[in-house]
Amino acid sequence: MDFPINPPIGERVRRKETQRFVTGTGRFVDDLLPPGTLHASFTRSPCAHARINSVDASAALTMPGVRAVFTGKDIADRIKPMRVGGSPLLRPLKLYPLAVDKIRYFGEPVAVVVADNRYLAEDAVEAIAIDYEPLPAVIDPEAALEPGATPVHDVLGGNKVYKFHFATDGIDEIFAKADVVVKERIRSHRITACPIEPRAYLAHYSPDEDSLTMWSATANPHSLRGRIADVINFPEGKIRVIAPDVGGSFGVKIQTYQEELLLPFISRELGRPIKWCETRVEHMRNGRHGRDQIHYIEMALKKDGTILGLRDRIIADMGSTYTVDHSIMASALYMTGVYQIQNYAVDATGVSTNKTTHGSLRGIGKADAAYVIERLVDIAARKLNIDPIDIRMKNFIPAESFPYRNVTGALYDSGQYHLCLKRTAEIAGYEKLKQEQAELRKKGICRGIGVALVMEPTSSSRIHATGGYASCRMRIDPSGAATVFSSMGEQGQGHETTIAQIVASQTGIPFEKITVIHGDTLPTPYGFGTGSSRSSVVLMPSAWVAAKKMREKLVGIGARLIGVPPERLEIGDGKVFAKEKRDQAIAIAEIIRTAYGAIHLLPENMEPGLETMGTFVNPNIDYAPDDKGRMNTFSSYPYAGVIAVVDVDVETGFINIVRYCTVHDCGNMINPQIVDTQQQGSIMQGIGAALYEELRYDEEGRLLSSTFMDYRLPCVEEVPELALEHIVTPNPFTPLGAKGAGETGMLGPPPALCNAVEDALAPLGVKIRETPLTPDRILDLIEKAKSSHG
Amino acid sequence: MANISLTVNGETRSGEAESRTLLVHFLRDTLRLTGTHVGCVVGRCGACTVMWNGAPVKSCMVFAVQTDGDEVVTVEGLARDKRLHPLQEAFWKKDAVECGYCTPGMLMSAYGLLSNGKTPTEAEIKKAISGNLCRCTGYGNIVAAIREAAGNFK
């Protein structure tokens, strides 16, 4: 592979898209208001599990401005059920966008009101009378698996909805013979992504044209188009999905939602544009949730810290109407992390409960795996009295072993884990930190140092969720400006800038003259959504392929016009010129004029015009498991070393992050500024997950954290001193050498901060197995440790 | 329903508002100034921050009728004669923006801070935007941008 990072690739170019955001002229779904738009509002279940005896909308229908009300029963025989499952390992379900006869989670939509404005629609929602017959709520995923537990889905009989097993030969013997076995129950708690823009949809069916335009705050427009076509039974070719500016996703907007399928149906019924913008409370209750896995994990080691084997039993809370198995699958396949562990067994069970649907969230599944393994290695180090850096160095996959085939068949593209952690220790001043810690302890200050090296499999691809390719089509206009049509939309990633950097680098068209169009299914080539950090792994290479083809065309025409063979030509300064004799040159403007107007001068067999299509297929994916069940579902493997320093106040339970040091390797960076900013945001999201954020349910299945008051995102006051560096190990499987860059940051804080806090409180004997590390939890742990030692 | 009239970004604007209509909805839906965003409608995320009579306020926490006769500045009012305000320039230069949804609120909170003409301390900058949530950038570049716009920072 070649890694042509010619400028402006690799430069900290200012983002094109920023200008419209600072002037308030960005266009989000809620900003759109076609004439005649009606507004939807949903009645949502006030309980977690119940039968619906009746829904009475008669009073609502008489209220001012109300145009229609739809219930589950109204739609069930008029639309097709939503596609649920996708993975052959998930048990299929038949579900509709509105609950028909049974409620399965708190906040599930039961009926929808359509009215002249959002206030009137919300008024009428209050007037819908629903008779529920409550059922016992299934909340604890372990209890849900007990015999006799109430089934969430009657048709399934029980709550076990997913099963995955993998084991290497002789694993039990390895554990029997090991010097030491470290065994723990570790849970990753339930959180959600919380983009600041909630979900928003606007469906506009035009009776005159018999066509549907759907504006959606989605990260997956092309897939959504097919799903709408399926559910409302309308030709895909007559549907146009547009994702305009989208205010963040972090995974939560890549999936398809009930409301997103229902609005097109209603618009078609009423022949009017229908808009719905989610409230924050609705988002917390109905947007996809993530994490929430319990691991019973054990590690076999030699006394010197060499890891011999790993055995895990995973119980994953999938929520009520599970949609994907990526979370549990990724955890099961990547539990061995960055270590040379070739003896491994895993038994993974997915459980249905009366909670909100589980799905994509920045670091899905991989974050749980990184958290659990990085905690367990630390716990083992403490038990064996080995330094947490030393035990990692002893077991890391060495740089010379890449590409490295892990035990479950994943092929890690590249990495320098030893170098990365060494550098992290250097920038953190690790040895000095340990001395300071000892000094501070004498003064009664509980300082902790937490180490982690987290690896993030990125750019996933599975059969029927095929993210393993992406496309860009490009055109140089007769005027000399270029337009690129990208198969993937953006929600803050800066594609308009990075794609333009790549195209400018290859074609010589100035960066300022390149426009990138994305998120609209009409002009853009088909492709899977923006998630799994796949933009830099498949989309950017596809732009490079399109631009390379364009370059070849420009050079080919130039060669013909000046009579120099193409291999001796170069592009630069708005010209195509001979490498050895720069005055043998022709302006690109002249080449463009020739391509469109003087086509008799084009090389033989060359098509007129300047349009190219680039598709990149990542070669590092296995679409089917081998005979031992091994597979590689992710194509690139960025990672980051972390050393976090914390002070814990034992009086208040408050954790102060003194410093957070990280060294990140995402391969070549197309725009290091964009990577840096994204890393900082990703780290803060991880800090939120570790310290503040948790979706808590009461025993009756009501979500207790439905607003930003009780689900606390980190604000500016919580930003710690941050030291961020990169090392670069190019990805050998893509032409740009880039790996995914969006998620690794978020993986670091949960293990690093837990390790640091446990280290800080080690003299008290505190053990951390539950998160987030809120002050009340810390105080509780200190109290428990005191009483058990007391 | 009442007809209200207020000065928005230096122009007199009027429209119908119910007594319960929030200022943010009046600005967005009635005046069609959609730069001011809605993220939570309960005063926590700050995406809807505007200047009301010279001070930043979350416009989801104000009824439109309360602003009758008053002066409001939104993000659309920052740039003058197609020239970006120094805060907008600094946000762009320092890469303080990713998805752009929180940006107008951040800018208006920062504008409120800087409009007294004093050079703020780092702590004052943080306090000024502590009611504005950003999920993308991790805040560091936003603080740097406000510092840059404020001129020489001690």
Side-chain angles (χ1 to χ4, degrees), chain A residues 15 22 31 123 677 693 714, chain B residues 20 32 92 95 98 139:
Chain A
R15 293 186 352 146
V22 295
D31 302 342
D123 288 344
T677 309
E693 300 173 26
Chain B
R20 63 176 177 171
R32 298 297 293 140
W92 197 0
D95 202 39
E98 281 185 42
Y139 304 103

Side-chain angles (χ1 to χ4, degrees), chain A residues 554-692:
Chain A
L554 295 171
V555 168
I557 299 169
R560 174 77 187 263
L561 294 178
I562 61 174
V564 176
E567 58 274 14
R568 285 177 48 203
L569 294 176
E570 190 59 74
I571 288 186
D573 297 333
K575 291 175 201 157
V576 169
F577 59 87
K579 284 178 212 169
E580 296 91 19
K581 208 165 173 240
R582 294 181 79 104
D583 58 341
Q584 274 192 308
I586 182 156
I588 290 175
E590 187 57 34
I591 292 173
I592 295 169
R593 273 195 292 275
T594 306
Y596 284 101
I599 62 172
H600 61 292
L601 298 177
L602 294 178
E604 242 177 272
N605 300 324
M606 186 183 277
E607 289 171 356
L610 290 168
E611 302 220 23
T612 58
M613 170 82 174
T615 294
F616 180 73
V617 184
N618 196 296
N620 190 30
I621 291 282
D622 301 328
Y623 285 94
D626 69 7
D627 55 354
K628 289 179 178 159
R630 302 187 308 171
M631 62 200 289
N632 182 36
T633 57
F634 288 83
S635 64
S636 93
Y637 296 86
Y639 57 93
V642 181
I643 293 180
V645 184
V646 303
D647 284 344
V648 182
D649 184 331
V650 293
E651 301 293 321
T652 63
F654 182 78
I655 295 162
N656 176 39
I657 306 173
V658 178
R659 197 152 184 249
Y660 190 93
C661 307
T662 183
V663 176
H664 174 231
D665 182 0
C666 63
N668 288 340
M669 289 176 276
I670 297 157
N671 185 324
Q673 177 65 71
I674 288 177
V675 174
D676 278 352
T677 309
Q678 208 173 77
Q679 274 297 301
Q680 292 173 49
S682 198
I683 290 165
M684 283 315 294
Q685 196 166 8
I687 289 174
L691 301 188
Y692 315 120

Side-chain angles (χ1 to χ4, degrees), chain A residues 14-15 18 21-22 24 27 30-31 119 123 192-193 247-248 280 491 677 680-681 685 693 708 714-716, chain B residues 20 22 25 28 32 34-35 37 39 44 84 88 92 95 97-99 101 107 126 135-139 141:
Chain A
R14 269 200 205 198
R15 293 186 352 146
T18 298
F21 296 134
V22 295
R27 280 290 167 269
D30 195 13
D31 302 342
Y119 286 72
D123 288 344
T192 187
R280 181 58 56 184
Q491 309 85 41
T677 309
Q680 292 173 49
Q685 196 166 8
E693 300 173 26
F708 282 154
C715 78
V716 68
Chain B
R20 63 176 177 171
L22 301 177
H25 288 143
R28 290 179 52 82
R32 298 297 293 140
T34 56
H37 295 155
R44 182 61 193 96
L84 294 183
Q88 293 171 312
W92 197 0
D95 202 39
V97 177
E98 281 185 42
C99 80
Y101 200 77
L107 283 165
K126 287 186 173 182
R135 196 59 149 171
C136 296
T137 67
Y139 304 103
N141 296 355

Side-chain angles (χ1 to χ4, degrees), chain A residues 383-677:
Chain A
K383 185 163 182 174
L384 293 167
N385 202 21
I386 301 175
D387 184 277
I389 289 188
D390 294 343
I391 194 171
R392 287 177 169 84
M393 291 291 193
K394 190 179 253 313
N395 291 288
F396 278 155
I397 299 158
E400 58 273 19
S401 301
F402 289 91
Y404 174 84
R405 183 73 69 180
N406 92 346
V407 61
T408 60
L411 191 66
Y412 296 7
D413 63 280
S414 60
Q416 301 183 75
Y417 302 151
H418 290 91
L419 176 69
C420 178
L421 192 55
K422 182 169 167 275
R423 183 65 196 141
T424 314
E426 279 169 13
I427 65 169
Y430 186 65
E431 292 306 321
K432 193 161 166 256
L433 280 176
K434 288 203 289 187
Q435 290 165 14
E436 282 171 3
Q437 179 185 37
E439 294 297 317
L440 290 166
R441 266 192 190 151
K442 284 180 207 156
K443 293 180 195 162
I445 294 172
C446 293
R447 172 154 295 185
I449 307 163
V451 178
L453 195 128
V454 292
M455 186 273 295
E456 165 79 13
T458 58
S459 194
S460 69
S461 192
R462 305 267 301 273
I463 297 172
H464 304 308
T466 319
Y469 68 94
S471 304
C472 280
R473 189 170 61 238
M474 75 165 290
R475 178 172 68 227
I476 298 178
D477 300 322
S479 68
T483 311
V484 187
F485 302 90
S486 155
S487 69
M488 284 163 62
E490 74 159 289
Q491 309 85 41
Q493 294 85 353
H495 295 172
E496 293 176 29
T497 303
T498 46
I499 288 176
Q501 286 178 263
I502 291 166
V503 169
S505 154
Q506 285 291 306
T507 63
I509 301 293
F511 174 80
E512 302 73 36
K513 287 192 169 183
I514 300 167
T515 303
V516 178
I517 306 291
H518 55 85
D520 182 344
T521 59
L522 183 66
T524 65
Y526 188 90
F528 199 70
T530 310
S532 195
S533 301
R534 64 171 62 80
S535 310
S536 52
V537 187
V538 288
L539 180 67
M540 296 304 144
S542 80
W544 183 82
V545 172
K548 190 165 175 256
K549 285 184 183 171
M550 184 63 80
R551 178 191 181 89
E552 282 161 7
K553 194 159 186 185
L554 295 171
V555 168
I557 299 169
R560 174 77 187 263
L561 294 178
I562 61 174
V564 176
E567 58 274 14
R568 285 177 48 203
L569 294 176
E570 190 59 74
I571 288 186
D573 297 333
K575 291 175 201 157
V576 169
F577 59 87
K579 284 178 212 169
E580 296 91 19
K581 208 165 173 240
R582 294 181 79 104
D583 58 341
Q584 274 192 308
I586 182 156
I588 290 175
E590 187 57 34
I591 292 173
I592 295 169
R593 273 195 292 275
T594 306
Y596 284 101
I599 62 172
H600 61 292
L601 298 177
L602 294 178
E604 242 177 272
N605 300 324
M606 186 183 277
E607 289 171 356
L610 290 168
E611 302 220 23
T612 58
M613 170 82 174
T615 294
F616 180 73
V617 184
N618 196 296
N620 190 30
I621 291 282
D622 301 328
Y623 285 94
D626 69 7
D627 55 354
K628 289 179 178 159
R630 302 187 308 171
M631 62 200 289
N632 182 36
T633 57
F634 288 83
S635 64
S636 93
Y637 296 86
Y639 57 93
V642 181
I643 293 180
V645 184
V646 303
D647 284 344
V648 182
D649 184 331
V650 293
E651 301 293 321
T652 63
F654 182 78
I655 295 162
N656 176 39
I657 306 173
V658 178
R659 197 152 184 249
Y660 190 93
C661 307
T662 183
V663 176
H664 174 231
D665 182 0
C666 63
N668 288 340
M669 289 176 276
I670 297 157
N671 185 324
Q673 177 65 71
I674 288 177
V675 174
D676 278 352
T677 309

